Each structure stands twice: as C-alpha cells, then as structure tokens.
Amino acid sequence: MVFRVDMGKPLHLNPPVTFNEKLQWLKLYNRNPEYTKMVDKYEVRKIVEEKIGAQYLIPLLGVWNSADEIDFDSLPSQFVLKCTHDSGSVIVCKDKASLDIPAIREKLKKSLRRKYYYFGREWPYKNVPHKVVAEQFILDGKGLATLTDYKFYCFNGVVDSVMLCLDRDTGDTKFYFFDENWNLRRYNLRGKAAPEGFTLPKPKGMDRMFEIARILSKGIPYVRVDLYNCDGDIFFGELTLFPQSGFDPNYLLETDKYFGQLIKLENMP
C-alpha cells in the first residue's frame, strides 16, 4: 500500500526489477545480522575503523544511554548530538552558551522513544540500542557550518556515482550526481533541471572518497556510503541500506531501472 501511494504504481517482487522494488526485496529477504551494526551510529564506528582507519571518524565526545545522562558541562562550545537508532534526530550546537538544554533533553527523549523500524520496516533498525552520541562539530574547508553531503551509490564494491547534496540550509536542497570521472549524470528529477554543460568543481580528495566507498560497500548488494569532505579531509557520515526506505519517486524511470539492474539478487540465499 505504501509503495503504491508513494510511487504511483503497484509493487512487483516476482521478480523485482527497479531499484525501489529491489530495496523492498532486500528488506524482506536479505537478513544479514551485521546490518544492525552498520546502521547503528555508534557501533558502525568500529566497522569503519577496522576497514579504513580511525582517522576517517569524526571525533567522539561522548555516548549516553539516556538524555538525562548527557553531561553538557563536559562538552565544548560547539558539538553535534544524534541518536544511534534512527534518522533525522541530529542536533547541531554552534554556541553552547545559548543552548536551551532542557528543551534539547526533551527533544532527545522523544527521539529515543521512537521505534524507527516501524516507519519503513527497515529491519536492521529494530534491534539497535537507543543511545545518544556527541561528535565534534566540523566545518567545511571554507569555514562554513553546513557541510556538503557526498552520498556514494555502491553495488557490492562497485561505485556507480556520488550524489552531492547542496544548499541544505536554504530549504531548496539541490541534488547532483557525478560519476568517478566527474561527468554529470542526469539520474533524478531535480538534477534534470541542470543546464547543458553544468558542472561543479571536483573536490580535493574525491578519488580517495570513491576508494573508501568501494572498501566499505564490498559484500553488500547495495549500500549508500555517506561521506564529508573538509578541504580534502575526509570524514565518514553513515551507511544507508535503504534510502527513503525504497519509496523514492525522485529518480527518473530509466534511473530506477538502471540502478535496479546493478543490484544482483541471483546469488542471494
């Protein structure tokens, strides 16, 4: 029902063909227990450190089991709080002196009560412990607080492209796809509006970012590897197994089919 409402067409799983359909199939049948650690914003740090090294992790400032346990006095003037078990519960503190701490605790308590699994039936989230982590506040290479998200579309160690998310603080986020040779790929409805010949400067360290995405995605039919780049300093963001829970109508139809072809289900148990 949700698929039909969001996508405007029925869900086909026998066999699944499109990217969104195959994500639904993977939610139902690809039950690798390691995925629970991958989506846990605290536990995934151990995976990243083991595979590519701790230098790519945003420094950890603290981890707590409840909002009441957070020791704000021990935190610096700027930091980021996020829950380990969901998406969207990020709190960015740019000035602790003006922070409404009681309101922040209440907001985090609400997030900690939320059972994220039930929103899109993304089963890896079901058994993630509900905690709060604090990470260092980082700026981009120009001193800006709003970082560009680099989201790499990965298919069992093969990285097709990276999606750049720009202007997220303006309410008019723009999404552009580029391949490893830095060619614009017209994959999505919003990116379709880019004029002929449109491009963006290739960030310093982008080749290494593609390599990191290959390493982190090996052995996974599909995963989106999210990274940050601060003037060449690369930081891990998160691993996303089911973007938009597999209910994303913003891809062009040919893109939905193309990404679907890249997810290989033949050797799945």
Side-chain angles (χ1 to χ4, degrees), residues 6-24:
D6 287 358
M7 303 301 297
K9 58 184 178 181
L11 172 63
H12 298 289
L13 292 178
N14 190 25
V17 174
T18 68
F19 180 60
N20 283 292
E21 287 174 345
K22 287 193 175 181
L23 290 182
Q24 303 306 325

Side-chain angles (χ1 to χ4, degrees), residues 148-165:
T148 299
D149 281 341
Y150 297 92
K151 301 179 182 294
F152 293 80
Y153 279 59
C154 308
F155 304 83
N156 193 8
V158 177
V159 185
D160 175 83
S161 52
V162 57
M163 181 176 72
L164 281 64
C165 304

Side-chain angles (χ1 to χ4, degrees), residues 7 19-20 23 153 163 177 187-190 222 224 243-244 247-257 259:
M7 303 301 297
F19 180 60
N20 283 292
L23 290 182
Y153 279 59
M163 181 176 72
F177 284 85
Y187 282 165
N188 61 319
L189 295 174
R190 299 182 191 181
Y222 170 80
R224 197 187 72 203
Q244 296 290 108
F247 307 120
D248 192 343
N250 285 310
Y251 301 111
L252 296 171
L253 178 59
E254 53 265 36
T255 304
D256 204 9
K257 292 179 178 178
F259 283 161

Side-chain angles (χ1 to χ4, degrees), residues 124-159:
Y125 287 96
K126 191 171 186 178
N127 295 315
V128 174
H130 294 201
K131 299 182 180 182
V132 179
V133 295
E135 292 179 343
Q136 181 177 306
F137 178 83
I138 59 174
L139 300 171
D140 77 350
K142 299 176 182 178
L144 300 176
T146 303
L147 297 172
T148 299
D149 281 341
Y150 297 92
K151 301 179 182 294
F152 293 80
Y153 279 59
C154 308
F155 304 83
N156 193 8
V158 177
V159 185

